[in-house]
Amino acid sequence: MARQQPPEPRPNRLPSFIEVLDRKTKPPVDLFSFYIYMRDQQRSVDYLDFWLDVSQHTHLCRHFVSELRRSILVETPELEKTASKRSSYILDHIGDTNDISGPSADPKSDEKIKDQNLSAFLRQDNGSNHSPPSSLGSRRSASAMRHGERPPRPSFISRNSPTGSDSSSPGGRVVARADIRASAEKILYTYILPGAEREVTLPHGILQDITVAIEEEGRDDPEVFDMAKDYTFQAMERDAFPGFLRAKVFGNIVPPSRFLRLVLGLIAFFAGMWAAFVLIFLDKPKHIRCWLILPFTIAVYSLASHQYHMDPLLALAGLSEYTFCNFSRIEELYVRKMMMRRASMVLFITVSIGVALICLFIFVPGHRL
């Protein structure tokens, strides 16, 4: 199988939401950073996990059909292969099995049509319950799979994982039809049913359609989750993604670091003010007052970092904080360019205010009380 093609260079613009989900971006606007943002700041990571699990389910279905097509080409006689032209056509038009993004977001795109062909084939194949030869699912019962382990999500959100894979199936094994059924039921029991472990809020009609399709109609094709996946995509794009871009493009520190800088800045500011007035009213010489540079510099720098959500020195060094005291390199070129400009502005403001305060308290005439 061919590897996934590397993304084309993006022009001078911020990435779109679908580019982030398709792993076509780099830190600090990559999928890993968005996952951390949804978990720590939005407190709604279940929506992203649901979207990723549905994408994993589609990926699993593509691998199953791909293995089935390969087994048919190898083992089925020519007369039997020509018996079902519809199945052969669908098998040849299921899209790229290495694409981990799941169903296409564009309802008119070719990939969307291929995903629909994939679902149509799986619905047609549902009654036969056959699996590729030597698959694990062919040796398992449905009840064991229902309570068994969940297939690992391929190339999840680790920064070190490649975007493409040559393996024929998740976990390096052949995918069985029982695996697809177990994956669909796992999504249903984890996210959809009322009172589920990680229940996501979806319109009642969508919840009802998914429940009926899986539990009553016995479906497990990816089209079952299309409406729910589109709904969660639009919700995240509307409610979470703009805040994520603001946090990662116009800032490089997380809320706990901002709070720490606020506390440090206020302490240093009041300490500097106290020391400044003491030195003035004791009529100390100017070379001693120069020690005020230290508290006022710390104060202004910390308060400016809190106000602008940015540590300018870290930004100029090309670093962005994704969790408290954990940093990553800023690899997205357009984001780095914008970060450099904003960091220079924040640093200029910080130096200007700091110099003004220091000059004020150093050169003001002393008066001993």
Side-chain angles (χ1 to χ4, degrees):
M1 296 182 183
R3 284 184 178 272
Q4 182 177 348
Q5 295 297 325
E8 297 180 358
R10 189 167 39 255
N12 289 333
R13 63 171 177 82
L14 294 175
S16 64
F17 186 45
I18 190 62
E19 288 174 333
V20 173
L21 292 179
D22 285 347
R23 300 167 174 86
K24 295 179 180 179
T25 56
K26 298 178 180 179
V29 289
D30 57 334
L31 181 58
F32 178 84
S33 299
F34 183 66
Y35 189 92
I36 297 298
Y37 175 82
M38 291 288 288
R39 185 192 68 185
D40 295 346
Q41 299 187 40
Q42 287 289 311
R43 301 284 194 260
S44 55
V45 74
D46 289 345
Y47 288 89
L48 180 56
D49 273 333
F50 170 75
W51 196 95
L52 292 170
D53 282 344
V54 173
S55 296
Q56 154 70 4
H57 179 70
T58 303
H59 187 62
L60 204 66
C61 294
R62 287 174 176 172
H63 274 300
F64 169 76
V65 177
S66 176
E67 289 297 322
L68 186 60
R69 177 174 58 186
R70 184 181 295 110
S71 67
I72 289 176
L73 293 176
V74 171
E75 298 184 3
T76 304
E78 284 296 325
L79 292 177
E80 294 182 17
K81 284 193 289 184
T82 58
S84 176
K85 295 183 179 180
R86 172 175 170 78
S87 296
S88 299
Y89 176 82
I90 295 176
L91 282 172
D92 290 335
H93 295 80
I94 60 169
D96 183 10
T97 57
N98 281 331
D99 182 7
I100 57 177
S101 61
S104 170
D106 183 1
K108 298 181 180 179
S109 68
D110 291 339
E111 283 303 316
K112 186 68 175 180
I113 296 175
K114 291 176 181 178
D115 289 331
Q116 292 171 350
N117 288 338
L118 171 65
S119 295
F121 173 79
L122 290 174
R123 288 195 297 272
Q124 175 182 313
D125 179 68
N126 197 26
S128 62
N129 290 325
H130 62 270
S131 299
S134 71
S135 64
L136 292 182
S138 62
R139 298 188 298 269
R140 295 181 180 177
S141 65
S143 61
M145 279 303 301
R146 184 174 293 112
H147 298 90
E149 73 280 1
R150 177 180 174 182
R153 181 179 298 154
S155 182
F156 185 49
I157 53 175
S158 170
R159 285 191 173 137
N160 297 323
S161 61
T163 55
S165 175
D166 283 336
S167 62
S168 62
S169 62
R173 60 181 177 82
V174 177
V175 177
R177 189 57 192 258
D179 297 323
I180 298 177
R181 180 66 187 177
S183 174
E185 291 180 346
K186 187 69 173 180
I187 294 173
L188 176 68
Y189 300 146
T190 303
Y191 301 102
I192 303 300
L193 293 179
E197 177 186 358
R198 303 178 64 185
E199 182 181 0
V200 295
T201 303
L202 296 171
H204 178 73
I206 296 178
L207 296 176
Q208 188 67 21
D209 289 345
I210 294 175
T211 303
V212 170
I214 295 178
E215 293 193 330
E216 297 182 13
E217 299 175 7
R219 291 177 55 186
D220 52 19
D221 55 279
E223 207 170 63
V224 170
F225 301 105
D226 269 3
M227 291 293 293
K229 187 177 182 182
D230 290 343
Y231 181 88
T232 56
F233 177 91
Q234 293 170 12
M236 291 188 293
E237 185 179 38
R238 180 185 64 249
D239 300 333
F241 188 62
F244 170 71
L245 288 182
R246 283 194 299 269
K248 296 302 179 181
V249 176
F250 300 110
N252 67 338
I253 55 177
V254 295
S257 291
R258 288 187 60 218
F259 180 75
L260 179 62
R261 283 165 170 78
L262 175 63
V263 173
L264 179 62
L266 291 176
I267 292 174
F269 180 76
F270 285 115
M273 294 293 290
W274 176 82
F277 281 108
V278 167
L279 295 177
I280 290 173
F281 290 128
L282 291 179
D283 197 16
K284 294 296 182 179
K286 293 181 175 58
H287 71 276
I288 295 180
R289 295 193 206 176
C290 286
W291 285 102
L292 295 174
I293 294 175
L294 182 61
F296 280 127
T297 299
I298 295 175
V300 175
Y301 186 86
S302 299
L303 293 175
S305 297
H306 171 268
Q307 179 65 27
Y308 290 98
H309 300 209
M310 171 179 287
D311 189 310
L313 294 182
L314 288 176
L316 292 175
L319 296 176
S320 179
E321 189 178 37
Y322 58 93
T323 57
F324 184 66
C325 291
N326 290 301
F327 302 92
S328 63
R329 302 291 302 179
I330 302 174
E331 299 179 15
E332 191 74 26
L333 295 181
Y334 185 66
V335 173
R336 186 183 180 107
K337 187 188 305 182
M338 295 185 65
M339 193 85 73
M340 293 300 156
R341 290 201 297 263
R342 185 171 173 84
S344 300
M345 180 199 71
V346 174
L347 199 57
F348 175 77
I349 294 174
T350 301
V351 171
S352 301
I353 297 176
V355 169
L357 282 174
I358 291 168
C359 291
L360 174 64
F361 289 105
I362 288 178
F363 294 105
V364 67
H367 180 75
R368 188 175 184 88
L369 297 179

